[in-house]
């Protein structure tokens, strides 16, 4: 049986990161750099650093090596953002959907 998560029960990016690691649904940043096809739209990117953490919803990968997110904690507004896999503070990704068929979303 696959573990599922409930965002209502998670209050922080750290809890999302911990849940992913505990349930085998975590892709490290190093794994994503080596194989971006591990990611899927709907996965969550998690950043940690300088005492802060944030989460972005992955919406797509670009062939130029970037991934795109929607984030709601940037200057108190929701924004679409493009990121590099080697961005400082990027910890990794929570696999939100275990559907193997969607593991490649490059466009």
């Amino acid at each position: 049986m696959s573990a599922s998560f409930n965002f209502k029960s998670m209050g922080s990016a750290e809890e999302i990161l911990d849940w992913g690691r505990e349930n085998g649904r975590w892709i490290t940043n190093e794994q994503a750099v080596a194989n971006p096809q591990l990611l899927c739209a709907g996965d969550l990117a998690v950043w940690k650093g300088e005492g802060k953490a944030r989460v972005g919803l992955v919406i797509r990968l670009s062939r130029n090596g970037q991934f795109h997110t929607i984030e709601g904690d940037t200057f108190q507004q929701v924004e679409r953002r493009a990121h590099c896999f080697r961005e400082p503070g990027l910890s990794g990704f929570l696999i939100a959907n275990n559907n193997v068929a969607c593991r490649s979303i490059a466009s």
Side-chain angles (χ1 to χ4, degrees):
M1 179 176 213
S2 175
S4 62
F5 58 91
N6 179 347
F7 288 110
K8 291 180 181 179
S9 68
M10 294 184 190
S12 70
E14 186 70 36
E15 289 176 325
I16 291 171
L17 186 151
D18 289 344
W19 185 93
R21 287 179 176 159
E22 292 167 6
N23 289 281
R25 304 272 289 268
W26 184 250
I27 298 171
T28 66
N29 190 34
E30 292 79 16
Q31 290 171 309
V33 167
N35 188 2
Q37 287 73 32
L38 293 172
L39 298 178
C40 189
D43 291 343
L44 301 176
V46 180
W47 290 264
K48 283 181 53 179
E50 300 178 9
K52 298 180 182 178
R54 75 180 203 267
V55 175
L57 176 67
V58 176
I59 55 173
R60 71 180 178 95
L61 296 175
S62 296
R63 295 196 190 280
N64 67 2
Q66 292 185 322
F67 64 96
H68 300 259
T69 62
I70 295 176
E71 300 175 42
D73 58 354
T74 306
F75 305 112
Q76 301 298 318
Q77 58 189 357
V78 175
E79 290 186 341
R80 289 178 186 239
R81 300 184 70 190
H83 300 278
C84 173
F85 284 104
R86 298 191 188 278
E87 189 172 285
L90 179 61
S91 298
F93 302 86
L94 172 81
I95 300 171
N97 182 346
N98 260 344
N99 182 352
V100 176
C102 81
R103 289 290 108 202
S104 178
I105 60 172
S107 61

